[in-house]
Amino acid sequence: MRPGNHTIDEQRQGEAVGPRSGTEGGRKLYLESYGCQMNFSDSEIVASILGEAGFTTTQQQEEADLILLNTCSIRDNAEQRIRHRLQHLKGGKRKNPKLKVGILGCMAERLRDQLLEEEKLVDLVVGPDAYRDLPRLVEEVEGGQKAVNTLLSREETYAEIQPVRLDDKGVTGFISIMRGCDNMCSFCVVPFTRGRERSRDPKSIVAEALDLYNKGYREVTLLGQNVDSYKWNVDAKGNVKDADEPVVRFAQLMDLVSDVNPDLRVRFSTSHPKDMTDEVLEVMARKDNLCKYIHLPVQSGDSGVLKRMNRGYTREWYLNRIAAIRRIMPDCAISTDVISGFCGETLEEHEATLSLMKEVRYEMAYMFKYSERPRTLAERKFEDDVPEEEKGRRLAEVIDLQRVHSRERMAAQCGPVYRILVEGPSKKDSEEYQGRNTYNGVVVFPKGDAQIGEYVYVQTTKCMAVTLRGELISEQEAQEVGYIA
Ligand code: 5AD
Ligand code: SF4
């Protein structure tokens, strides 16, 4: 699965991040991230804060003085996976009694002291808004105590912290533009673990994008739980932050970031159907470096289920948003998230999800069985009454249908010449490179004299199950035959 996806534990499970080895001397930090892109982005902030405190990151777990797991709570199986991982770390602590182990992120926030009680090897528990406190907490832990900080903040955006980029290719990077979520979807634990929504100063976002560009990066992904409600100058309570500055919403922010350089591609995640405006779509349509790809989670195709989910839109509203995308950007790729077996979901309601999928024909989808989460609205209000086996059966139907649509969409992308950003060697054959087209489709091609981090032109010739194959052509040839930017 390609990196840099949405809030999905299934995609990115416990990747160790950081350069192959730290510089000599100093203490060594082994940082492992689970779950969403936001967590991977947060880990880069953690590496920066602890870097200031004298830590260097390592990919060798054995040489670490401190192991931190940046965790995910979105579904129960995400948490179980991390519990298993903790069991494995016990051996490491036996071999090196000085080793300290900490839990960051959503599980830290959700379970707090309970984690220290249940998992004896855990020394440190730090929630997503408390990373600035890490140097002090680590000191406490090194002094032999256990340390916890899970305070959530209404202001923290880590705006001026320069993330230490942990992806060693240096081509694509994440930029967090906001934190938290105010939506209160009834199934979702995020508002409890990541707190209230707050947006980050656009100047610091643009500065970060420019810095990445100057360092050779050619793609940034703007991250937020609900990017469409990005808003600067007016805070969540409606107070004006800085009277002489205009309000910057997501559409204007995208305009600003895309102006950093025409050769810097801009992607974003995640949009919310209830808030996605035509204005955003129009900005996307105007600029080639704003990639023609939208992740628009639907969750269910039935208005009754959507109401129970507290999603704030109906099936009709959602389909109207899809129609707006198709009207403004007829070629835009669209992906989604689907939950199967939500509380009270009838067979008819499940069928409505399948029929919506047939109407939209998504390029791609992340699909899950409903997993009840403590403290959520759904846990308090509804019964988790679809049997596990039935959830599995419905999910399998959703997955099978999506497979058909993904193939169909991939085949439709085959044929044109694309401008591709070279990201690195292909996963299957190191003699080939891979990159993505504007639609986020992966394109594989023989290396030729292409370089990682450069744009190339690829004539697509063949459609595989989940990728396109093609041949390099020159810029001049591409201009002659026409290409998709
Ligand atoms: N059970 C199953 N899936 C969930 N998601 C969020 N919470 C749950 C849950 N309790 C899915 C949604 C969301 C994605 C990030 O994870 O589809 O869009
Ligand atoms: Fe959860 Fe809904 Fe917020 Fe997404 S928008 S993080 S699903 S509450």
Side-chain angles (χ1 to χ4, degrees):
M1 196 70 65
R2 90 195 117 73
N5 271 324
H6 181 62
T7 47
I8 318 292
D9 46 286
E10 274 79 356
Q11 271 117 52
R12 306 191 73 181
Q13 311 171 358
E15 282 176 39
V17 283
R20 293 249 162 260
S21 76
T23 48
E24 292 311 306
R27 291 166 297 171
K28 296 219 162 74
L29 163 66
Y30 180 85
L31 189 49
E32 202 168 89
S33 303
Y34 292 78
C36 63
Q37 289 169 329
M38 190 67 90
N39 257 10
F40 282 73
S41 168
D42 278 1
S43 289
E44 300 188 327
I45 288 167
V46 168
S48 172
I49 291 169
L50 284 175
E52 294 286 311
F55 278 92
T56 52
T57 50
T58 172
Q59 281 203 331
Q60 254 60 57
Q61 193 189 310
E62 304 73 40
E63 64 176 28
D65 303 289
L66 175 63
I67 296 183
L68 296 177
L69 306 186
N70 196 355
T71 62
C72 171
S73 289
I74 197 107
R75 283 167 288 277
D76 184 56
N77 58 7
E79 290 196 352
Q80 293 315 325
R81 204 170 294 133
I82 291 155
R83 297 264 191 182
H84 276 126
R85 180 69 183 117
L86 281 174
Q87 297 312 311
H88 274 114
L89 288 180
K90 278 193 178 143
K93 219 166 179 173
R94 245 178 268 124
K95 270 189 227 141
N96 172 12
K98 279 209 201 127
L99 173 69
K100 303 295 176 195
V101 175
I103 299 284
L104 313 178
C106 289
M107 256 177 103
E109 193 63 45
R110 201 180 82 68
L111 298 166
R112 303 174 209 191
D113 302 315
Q114 197 187 324
L115 265 178
L116 292 178
E117 283 156 26
E118 290 172 6
E119 306 285 352
K120 294 284 176 256
L121 86 161
V122 173
D123 304 291
L124 178 69
V125 175
V126 188
D129 285 346
Y131 298 147
R132 281 182 206 267
D133 200 18
L134 268 166
R136 185 186 69 82
L137 295 166
V138 168
E139 218 169 274
E140 263 181 39
V141 162
E142 284 172 343
Q145 294 174 22
K146 303 247 171 188
V148 183
N149 186 347
T150 54
L151 282 178
L152 285 173
S153 155
R154 282 184 172 243
E155 279 94 37
E156 181 62 274
T157 59
Y158 301 110
E160 81 306 342
I161 294 198
Q162 269 225 331
V164 169
R165 301 291 163 186
L166 296 169
D167 175 351
D168 52 4
K169 287 201 195 72
V171 182
T172 62
F174 299 128
I175 303 181
S176 294
I177 62 164
M178 58 207 294
R179 300 180 71 80
C181 183
D182 279 352
N183 285 322
M184 296 303 264
C185 297
S186 65
F187 51 78
C188 189
V189 77
V190 167
F192 304 96
T193 59
R194 289 190 160 268
R196 301 304 298 267
E197 180 185 294
R198 64 225 101 117
S199 296
R200 173 178 167 192
D201 185 342
K203 284 195 218 84
S204 74
I205 297 171
V206 170
E208 192 173 330
L210 181 61
D211 179 59
L212 283 173
Y213 182 81
N214 289 337
K215 287 181 173 142
Y217 284 73
R218 290 296 174 265
E219 181 183 296
V220 293
T221 302
L222 307 181
L223 292 181
Q225 301 294 345
N226 177 1
V227 293
D228 297 294
S229 60
Y230 175 86
K231 191 168 54 179
W232 181 255
N233 189 3
V234 183
D235 67 19
K237 288 186 215 125
N239 301 323
V240 175
K241 288 180 187 156
D242 195 342
D244 6 300
E245 286 184 26
V247 178
V248 177
R249 291 180 185 277
F250 188 55
Q252 288 86 47
L253 181 72
M254 283 216 293
D255 226 351
L256 288 170
V257 177
S258 62
D259 279 345
V260 163
N261 195 293
D263 274 343
L264 182 70
R265 277 187 171 174
V266 182
R267 299 183 187 274
F268 56 91
S269 189
T270 300
S271 306
H272 197 301
K274 82 175 160 61
D275 299 320
M276 194 188 68
T277 61
D278 286 5
E279 197 188 5
V280 166
L281 302 175
E282 276 148 14
V283 176
M284 284 176 78
R286 247 194 306 118
K287 293 188 159 171
D288 280 345
N289 62 333
L290 291 173
C291 292
K292 305 296 175 280
Y293 169 62
I294 298 183
H295 183 67
L296 196 66
V298 66
Q299 314 298 0
S300 166
D302 181 84
S303 297
V305 176
L306 289 170
K307 192 159 184 5
R308 297 202 289 284
M309 288 178 164
N310 198 28
R311 288 286 289 174
Y313 56 87
T314 59
R315 176 188 176 101
E316 291 66 37
W317 174 279
Y318 184 90
L319 287 173
N320 167 292
R321 296 290 73 214
I322 296 287
I325 299 173
R326 303 267 190 245
R327 185 177 73 245
I328 297 167
M329 289 177 289
D331 61 336
C332 188
I334 308 175
S335 61
T336 201
D337 293 346
V338 172
I339 298 179
S340 283
F342 184 65
C343 308
E345 186 189 70
T346 63
L347 267 184
E348 239 182 343
E349 291 168 340
H350 162 65
E351 294 287 337
T353 298
L354 298 174
S355 86
L356 179 132
M357 290 170 71
K358 284 180 197 156
E359 237 177 291
V360 179
R361 306 191 102 76
Y362 294 104
E363 259 76 10
M364 207 239 319
Y366 301 113
M367 299 154 285
F368 315 100
K369 276 198 271 187
Y370 172 59
S371 163
E372 186 176 81
R373 309 308 292 133
R375 289 176 72 200
T376 56
L377 232 68
E379 189 234 11
R380 287 181 277 138
K381 246 172 102 177
F382 306 120
E383 199 184 331
D384 179 14
D385 55 358
V386 179
E388 207 44 36
E389 206 182 292
E390 179 58 14
K391 282 184 188 167
R393 197 195 64 78
R394 291 181 195 179
L395 177 64
E397 273 184 20
V398 169
I399 291 173
D400 284 348
L401 182 62
Q402 182 52 43
R403 202 168 282 139
V404 174
H405 294 163
S406 293
R407 287 240 169 91
E408 180 188 294
R409 286 297 196 187
M410 203 39 127
Q413 277 188 29
C414 188
V417 173
Y418 291 101
R419 189 170 188 244
I420 304 283
L421 173 60
V422 186
E423 288 179 21
S426 133
K427 293 216 176 80
K428 288 212 176 115
D429 181 351
S430 60
E431 286 312 297
E432 298 194 300
Y433 274 147
Q434 72 172 43
R436 276 171 296 153
N437 61 17
T438 187
Y439 308 127
N440 215 28
V442 174
V443 181
V444 178
F445 51 91
K447 278 183 177 171
D449 43 18
Q451 304 287 326
I452 294 174
E454 212 178 61
Y455 286 99
V456 293
Y457 297 86
V458 177
Q459 166 69 63
T460 50
T461 50
K462 208 169 163 195
C463 169
M464 316 302 274
V466 287
T467 54
L468 295 171
R469 294 194 60 84
E471 301 293 330
L472 285 170
I473 64 169
S474 69
E475 183 170 359
Q476 200 191 337
E477 284 170 304
Q479 266 155 4
E480 278 163 19
V481 294
Y483 64 87
I484 296 177

